[in-house]
């Protein structure tokens, strides 16, 4: 009996101590004070207070710039950091889920988890955080797209390059070559399905008959990319003022971007209310479908206008009329974003009739000279079969 009484008293003391600790932490939250635990990314603890960590703050600003201004995907940033050996605070490799949690943490605004003003310095401004929050919480980012359409691994993918016959985006995939796998863009029937632009014919291979699509195009990615950048740099040398005009940001554009973000938030809230009314039986199926279709159409229009107003991720400091643009040092996401500032689309046609695809190695020819010659053949064929539709063309 005595042991049970002692155990009950000890349990009661533990519960009261826990309650006191919880009340103390809650009071510190409400007062905007640090309440213990591991400091949020971007901060470190000094004398019981949170102070900005310069290295981590620089990473946060880099993510905001690359996603909002350069329009890179989070996958591209994470891949770039991991390739460069940049590790998390615990020494692990980066994942999109970790980075997304960091960029949505309101502690960076100088707020507690309750949303009350805190007594530590913010490391990001309100407008940048709101833009990042709107981007990362956009429901359309959770939609699964066709393979390669939204991929960030290759700069010429993502819908920038299309089939000259059917107009569908070319899909990135690996094509086997004697030296290994080569990144290739192709109009894949397994992704886009049948098309009247690619008639099917019955062919016999190895004694077996099968139906195959005709006119499906494919092109080596790296050769195409080099040709496109060569053409772009040549264009910019002719009109250097164009790049400066494209890279300048108008204050009215910033105001319009804010208005578009607010309208998109309002539309998503309307869509959620419509879904709740449909579940509650206050909205008929036909009316619900009509409302959602109108909202989605407006969201698509706002998204297109938003993308068109974003600053071009290239400045005069990146462009030297003599040396050109050091685009090879950029990530794939930034290269694609820069190209989209100048190019509507790149149409790829069939391989030129009679054009050679390679050549044999000559006697006494070095390996380097032979590889250079083969690369020149690939570039020449790529240049002959593409049509670049520039932004300033009608």
């Amino acid at each position: 009996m005595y042991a049970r009484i002692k155990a009950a008293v000890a349990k009661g003391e533990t519960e009261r101590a826990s309650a006191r600790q919880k009340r103390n932490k809650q009071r510190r939250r409400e007062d905007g004070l640090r309440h213990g635990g591991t400091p949020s990314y971007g901060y470190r603890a000094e004398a019981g207070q949170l102070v900005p960590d310069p290295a981590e703050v620089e990473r946060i600003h880099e993510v905001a710039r690359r996603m909002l201004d350069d329009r890179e995907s989070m996958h591209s940033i994470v891949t770039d950091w991991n390739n460069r050996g940049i590790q998390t605070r615990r020494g692990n490799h980066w994942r999109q889920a970790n980075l997304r949690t960091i960029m949505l943490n309101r502690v960076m605004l100088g707020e507690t988890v309750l949303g009350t003003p805190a007594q530590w310095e913010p490391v990001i401004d309100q407008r940048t955080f709101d833009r990042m929050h709107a981007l990362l919480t956009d429901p359309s980012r959770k939609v699964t797209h066709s393979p390669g359409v939204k991929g960030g691994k290759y700069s010429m993918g993502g819908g920038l390059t299309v089939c000259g016959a059917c107009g569908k985006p070319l899909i990135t995939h690996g094509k086997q070559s004697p030296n290994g796998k080569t990144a290739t863009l192709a109009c894949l029937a397994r992704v886009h399905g049948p098309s009247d632009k690619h008639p099917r014919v019955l062919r016999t291979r190895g004694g077996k008959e099968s139906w195959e699509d005709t006119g499906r195009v494919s092109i080596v990615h790296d050769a195409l990319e080099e040709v496109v950048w060569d053409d772009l740099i040549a264009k910019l040398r002719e009109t250097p003022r164009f790049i400066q005009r494209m890279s300048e940001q108008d204050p009215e554009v910033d105001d319009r971007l804010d208005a578009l973000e607010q309208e998109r938030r309002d539309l998503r809230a309307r869509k959620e209310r419509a879904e709740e009314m449909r579940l509650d039986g206050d909205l008929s199926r036909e009316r619900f479908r009509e409302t959602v279709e109108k909202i989605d159409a407006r969201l698509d229009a706002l998204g297109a206008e938003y993308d068109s107003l974003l600053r071009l991720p290239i400045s005069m400091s990146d462009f030297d009329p003599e040396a050109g643009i050091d685009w090879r040092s950029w990530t794939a996401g930034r290269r694609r974003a820069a190209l989209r500032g100048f190019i509507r689309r790149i149409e790829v046609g069939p391989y030129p009739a009679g054009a050679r695809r390679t050549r044999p190695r000559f006697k006494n020819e070095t390996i380097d000279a032979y590889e250079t010659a083969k690369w020149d053949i690939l570039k020449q064929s790529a240049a002959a079969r593409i049509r670049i539709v520039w932004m300033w063309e009608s």
Side-chain angles (χ1 to χ4, degrees):
M1 180 182 67
Y2 182 74
R4 286 197 295 268
I5 292 174
K6 292 287 290 183
V9 171
K11 182 178 180 181
E13 288 295 334
T14 301
E15 291 175 349
R16 283 191 290 273
S18 175
R20 286 195 300 269
Q21 292 173 3
K22 289 179 179 178
R23 286 197 302 270
N24 181 53
K25 289 184 177 181
Q26 180 69 13
R27 185 173 61 255
R28 293 182 65 85
R29 291 192 189 101
E30 294 171 352
D31 293 341
L33 300 174
R34 180 169 179 256
H35 50 81
T38 303
S40 298
Y41 194 85
Y43 294 91
R44 63 171 180 262
E46 287 187 2
Q49 299 296 325
L50 290 181
V51 296
D53 184 295
E56 294 182 352
V57 171
E58 183 180 353
R59 297 291 175 211
I60 291 172
H61 291 171
E62 179 185 352
V63 174
R65 173 184 58 78
R66 292 174 68 172
M67 292 194 68
L68 298 176
D69 294 338
D70 295 355
R71 286 172 281 175
E72 282 193 59
S73 66
M74 186 172 287
H75 174 271
S76 174
I77 297 173
V78 168
T79 301
D80 176 45
W81 284 5
N82 290 333
N83 291 339
R84 288 160 54 191
I86 299 174
Q87 297 180 329
T88 66
R89 183 183 285 176
R90 295 186 177 183
N92 300 322
H93 70 278
W94 283 93
R95 295 186 303 167
Q96 294 186 60
N98 305 99
L99 189 55
R100 184 179 188 275
T101 301
I102 290 172
M103 299 309 295
L104 290 177
N105 191 354
R106 300 190 67 88
V107 171
M108 298 188 300
L109 288 171
E111 297 181 0
T112 67
V113 293
L114 299 178
T116 56
Q119 297 184 18
W120 55 77
E121 180 184 349
V123 297
I124 194 171
D125 62 272
Q126 183 71 53
R127 182 175 181 276
T128 301
F129 182 86
D130 289 343
R131 292 178 62 192
M132 181 62 64
H133 186 274
L135 177 65
L136 295 180
T137 57
D138 187 348
S140 63
R141 292 176 60 87
K142 300 179 182 180
V143 177
T144 302
H145 299 275
S146 298
V149 174
K150 294 293 183 181
K153 189 175 182 180
Y154 299 102
S155 64
M156 307 305 295
L160 179 63
T161 308
V162 301
C163 174
C166 66
K168 296 292 183 64
L170 297 190
I171 309 302
T172 55
H173 69 114
K175 185 177 181 181
Q176 193 67 36
S177 66
N179 297 327
K181 286 191 174 181
T182 302
T184 306
L185 294 166
C187 182
L188 300 180
R190 62 181 174 84
V191 175
H192 298 313
S195 171
D196 56 357
K197 302 295 183 181
H198 302 291
R200 308 194 75 190
V201 297
L202 186 63
R203 289 178 177 169
T204 302
R205 296 182 185 272
K208 294 184 179 180
E209 293 184 342
S210 62
W211 289 94
E212 298 181 6
D213 290 346
T214 58
R216 298 281 181 181
V217 300
S218 65
I219 190 169
V220 176
H221 176 276
D222 293 348
L224 171 64
E225 183 179 42
E226 192 165 318
V227 168
V228 170
W229 273 104
D230 288 345
D231 286 355
L232 173 59
I233 292 172
K235 288 279 188 183
L236 295 178
R237 282 173 178 163
E238 298 172 2
T239 55
R241 172 58 185 158
F242 178 79
I243 186 172
Q244 183 176 353
R245 186 172 66 251
M246 290 291 289
S247 61
E248 292 172 349
Q249 187 72 312
D250 189 341
E252 295 183 0
V253 173
D254 286 335
D255 294 339
R256 180 57 181 162
L257 286 172
D258 291 338
L260 291 175
E261 290 168 0
Q262 183 59 49
E263 187 175 354
R264 288 202 296 188
R265 286 193 290 268
D266 294 341
L267 287 171
R268 295 190 190 108
R270 283 181 53 194
K271 188 173 181 179
E272 291 178 358
R273 289 196 298 270
E275 292 173 349
E276 293 175 356
M277 293 176 65
R278 175 73 185 97
L279 293 174
D280 295 339
D282 298 331
L283 199 64
S284 65
R285 180 179 301 177
E286 293 75 13
R287 182 60 178 170
F288 171 73
R289 185 184 300 111
E290 180 183 350
T291 302
V292 170
E293 288 177 354
K294 288 182 178 179
I295 292 176
D296 289 342
R298 181 57 182 163
L299 285 172
D300 291 340
L302 292 177
E305 183 180 357
Y306 190 94
D307 290 340
S308 67
L309 291 175
L310 285 175
R311 178 180 64 82
L312 185 68
I314 186 173
S315 64
M316 290 300 292
S317 61
D318 296 317
F319 176 65
D320 183 345
E322 298 299 327
I325 300 175
D326 187 20
W327 56 270
R328 289 181 177 85
S329 65
W330 299 353
T331 63
R334 190 182 181 208
R335 294 201 298 269
R336 184 193 300 172
L339 291 175
R340 284 192 177 278
F342 300 100
I343 298 173
R344 294 185 186 276
R345 65 184 178 279
I346 302 166
E347 301 173 355
V348 179
Y351 207 89
R356 57 181 180 174
R357 297 176 182 269
T358 186
R359 70 163 176 80
R361 182 183 175 187
F362 298 149
K363 187 176 181 180
N364 299 327
E365 185 179 27
T366 64
I367 292 293
D368 291 341
Y370 176 55
E371 294 296 331
T372 300
K374 290 199 302 180
W375 183 251
D376 290 340
I377 292 175
L378 285 175
K379 286 186 60 177
Q380 292 169 8
S381 65
R385 59 191 298 211
I386 68 171
R387 174 176 175 262
I388 301 177
V389 181
W390 303 96
M391 283 293 185
W392 53 80
E393 294 178 349
S394 58

